[in-house]
Amino acid sequence: MAADATRALQKTFLSSPFFAVVGASKDPSKFGTKVLDWYKARNYDVTPVHPKESELEAIQTVKSITDLSSPKETSVSIITPPKVTLSILEQAKQLSIPALWLQPGAEDSAVVEFIKANNLSGRVIYGGPCILVEGDGIVKSLL
């Protein structure tokens, strides 16, 4: 994906009214939890997605992205192993989730192939930057 297209998608991603994080856990040292905290620290309306926990970082969770209240208005950060990422992308496609950001490590060749084969390239940020590194700069560019 060209840098301009990635930048435009990042702006679309961060312009959403709602956010979800798949891959947060009770372990504050894990990147999924750090990403969840990033949204929380900036007062974003964020929902952690976790199949077993009912609450993470004092925020009510949903078990799956299929349980999000407004999936068509929710940008989703994914910090999961590639096999899990693949199933989330399948659900996201069905739910018409507008933008997804795969954090480093959440993809492999099968995930990239799925993105391309399902015409999701215009909705999925992958192969690069972490929201923890680039998020604030993107937010500033939106102002």
Side-chain angles (χ1 to χ4, degrees), residues 86-99:
L86 213 47
S87 67
I88 295 162
L89 287 175
E90 288 169 357
Q91 292 173 342
K93 183 182 176 197
Q94 299 297 320
L95 294 166
S96 300
I97 295 210

Side-chain angles (χ1 to χ4, degrees), residues 54-113:
S54 61
E55 186 180 280
L56 289 172
E57 299 297 297
I59 306 169
Q60 182 95 31
T61 65
V62 294
K63 291 194 181 308
S64 162
I65 63 169
T66 59
D67 299 323
L68 291 168
S69 58
S70 301
K72 290 179 181 169
E73 298 177 276
T74 304
S75 288
V76 179
S77 284
I78 301 175
I79 312 94
T80 58
K83 277 187 178 164
V84 177
T85 301
L86 213 47
S87 67
I88 295 162
L89 287 175
E90 288 169 357
Q91 292 173 342
K93 183 182 176 197
Q94 299 297 320
L95 294 166
S96 300
I97 295 210
L100 301 107
W101 193 329
L102 307 186
Q103 299 302 305
E107 74 210 45
D108 61 8
S109 57
V111 169
V112 172
E113 187 56 41

Side-chain angles (χ1 to χ4, degrees), residues 96-138:
S96 300
I97 295 210
L100 301 107
W101 193 329
L102 307 186
Q103 299 302 305
E107 74 210 45
D108 61 8
S109 57
V111 169
V112 172
E113 187 56 41
F114 180 87
I115 291 167
K116 291 177 180 173
N118 287 275
N119 296 321
L120 293 173
S121 294
R123 287 199 270 163
V124 182
I125 300 162
Y126 66 94
C130 174
I131 197 166
L132 298 174
V133 175
E134 296 206 353
D136 287 329
I138 298 162

Side-chain angles (χ1 to χ4, degrees), residues 1-20:
M1 184 180 283
D4 289 348
T6 298
R7 188 56 118 190
L9 185 50
Q10 289 171 335
K11 287 182 176 185
T12 298
F13 183 94
L14 284 167
S15 297
S16 289
F18 307 109
F19 298 88

